Amino acid sequence: DIWSGYRILIQSEKDCRYLEGRIENFLNTFEQTLNDMSDEDFESHKRAMINKRLAKLKNLSSEDNRFWNHIYSDSYDFLQADVDAATLEKLTKKDMVDFYNHYISTSSSQRSKLSVHLQAQAKAKEPSLDERKTAAAAALKIILAEHKITANDEAFQTRIKDVSSKDAIPDAVATHLTDDLKVEKEVANKVLDGAKAALGVADSGLPAAPQALDASADVKSIVDASHPVLIEDVHAWKASMQVSSGVRPVRNLEEFVEVAEKL
């Protein structure tokens, strides 16, 4: 069996659980983007991927690396680029949407995800409330400009001057958008989400806090993707996993051996 996956790598000073939520938010946003994508745009992206897979290697070193990667992996899949391109030719938008909904969508019960958090010993200094207010004003101004909305700095400063905690800043921003700027609710939500992300006060996006995995628990029994599980003993967790079979060559190596007649 061949297992495939993808990786999202983030390096930031913000809290890991917050970053986890932003990844989930991105996946939700892209799901809607994919659904709304026109067939013409999808075909354009598909053609770009095909051209990338079939692009001529620039030098001998690139060709050498490609072949040796297939040798080291024991797959001997030397024609992978050509096979990928041929497979992409047959791919339709419906195929991609169905695949996304089944394997990647945050609402899919079939999705599997492993999240690794590496936390530094030293932590950045927490900004003061006044610094957060200043950052909120700057971030809001940029986001409003992106949405072609005229800012009103004086009105926003009036709203935010009496805010007494960082958690109340988003409420002040929301009130400013709806009451002062008269922004439509849908647009206001997008602006507010962007402001929260910029300030690092957005919701984590996770349905629940991770629960510690009981040492006696059967990993196979954990099938509910909506409830994250915290793995505290990595070695015990690995030991409980079923050992997968080794890599099997995609093609018989003899297909690539030139047999010359012996004199």
Side-chain angles (χ1 to χ4, degrees):
D1 296 334
I2 298 177
W3 294 84
S4 299
Y6 67 96
R7 179 178 70 167
I8 298 178
L9 179 64
I10 293 181
Q11 182 176 351
S12 173
E13 295 180 351
K14 291 185 170 61
D15 178 73
C16 289
R17 191 159 182 260
Y18 164 79
L19 297 174
E20 189 89 30
R22 299 316 299 168
I23 293 175
E24 299 292 278
N25 178 268
F26 164 75
L27 294 177
N28 287 331
T29 302
F30 185 77
E31 182 176 359
Q32 187 61 45
T33 300
L34 181 60
N35 288 327
D36 295 341
M37 186 181 297
S38 66
D39 292 336
E40 292 76 14
D41 287 342
F42 180 82
E43 289 298 323
S44 177
H45 288 301
K46 188 174 79 172
R47 178 52 52 188
M49 284 299 301
I50 292 174
N51 292 339
K52 183 176 181 179
R53 294 301 289 150
L54 297 180
K56 187 176 181 180
L57 297 174
K58 296 180 179 180
N59 49 53
L60 184 60
S61 177
S62 298
E63 186 175 10
D64 177 77
N65 288 334
R66 173 182 288 185
F67 286 142
W68 275 109
N69 284 336
H70 292 309
I71 294 173
Y72 286 141
S73 67
D74 293 328
S75 65
Y76 306 134
D77 194 6
F78 301 113
L79 302 179
Q80 181 183 5
D82 300 285
V83 173
D84 288 348
T87 303
L88 283 170
E89 286 283 4
K90 304 174 185 177
L91 188 68
T92 65
K93 179 187 172 183
K94 182 180 182 305
D95 294 333
M96 193 65 209
V97 170
D98 291 343
F99 178 89
Y100 197 97
N101 290 339
H102 186 82
Y103 292 105
I104 301 178
S105 174
T106 58
S107 60
S108 173
S109 61
Q110 302 299 316
R111 183 179 74 145
S112 297
K113 183 180 76 170
L114 174 64
S115 180
V116 180
H117 296 175
L118 299 179
Q119 301 182 19
Q121 296 295 324
K123 293 185 178 180
K125 179 184 176 182
E126 281 287 325
S128 65
L129 182 59
D130 288 337
E131 290 173 335
R132 289 182 182 276
K133 290 180 179 181
T134 302
L140 182 61
K141 191 172 184 178
I142 294 174
I143 297 171
L144 289 175
E146 292 174 350
H147 287 81
K148 296 180 173 57
I149 300 173
T150 303
N152 187 335
D153 293 337
E154 184 177 350
F156 181 67
Q157 291 300 330
T158 301
R159 291 283 180 187
I160 204 172
K161 70 177 182 179
D162 295 328
V163 169
S164 58
S165 69
K166 70 173 185 179
D167 295 330
I169 293 178
D171 294 333
V173 174
T175 304
H176 173 64
L177 292 172
T178 55
D179 294 357
D180 298 332
L181 301 183
K182 308 298 182 184
V183 178
E184 295 181 2
K185 184 177 180 180
E186 183 178 350
V187 178
N189 288 337
K190 291 182 179 179
V191 174
L192 181 60
D193 185 67
K196 285 182 176 181
L199 296 173
V201 295
D203 298 331
S204 68
L206 298 179
Q211 300 296 318
L213 179 63
D214 193 322
S216 61
D218 181 7
V219 176
K220 295 181 180 179
S221 65
I222 304 172
V223 295
D224 189 354
S226 64
H227 295 283
V229 176
L230 179 63
I231 301 170
E232 295 180 326
D233 190 335
V234 177
H235 297 290
W237 177 73
K238 285 184 176 180
S240 67
M241 300 293 288
Q242 181 179 358
V243 179
S244 59
S245 59
V247 177
R248 288 178 292 182
V250 175
R251 293 176 177 272
N252 192 326
L253 189 58
E254 294 179 356
E255 295 181 22
F256 304 97
V257 177
E258 294 184 1
V259 180
E261 293 183 2
K262 295 183 179 180
L263 298 177

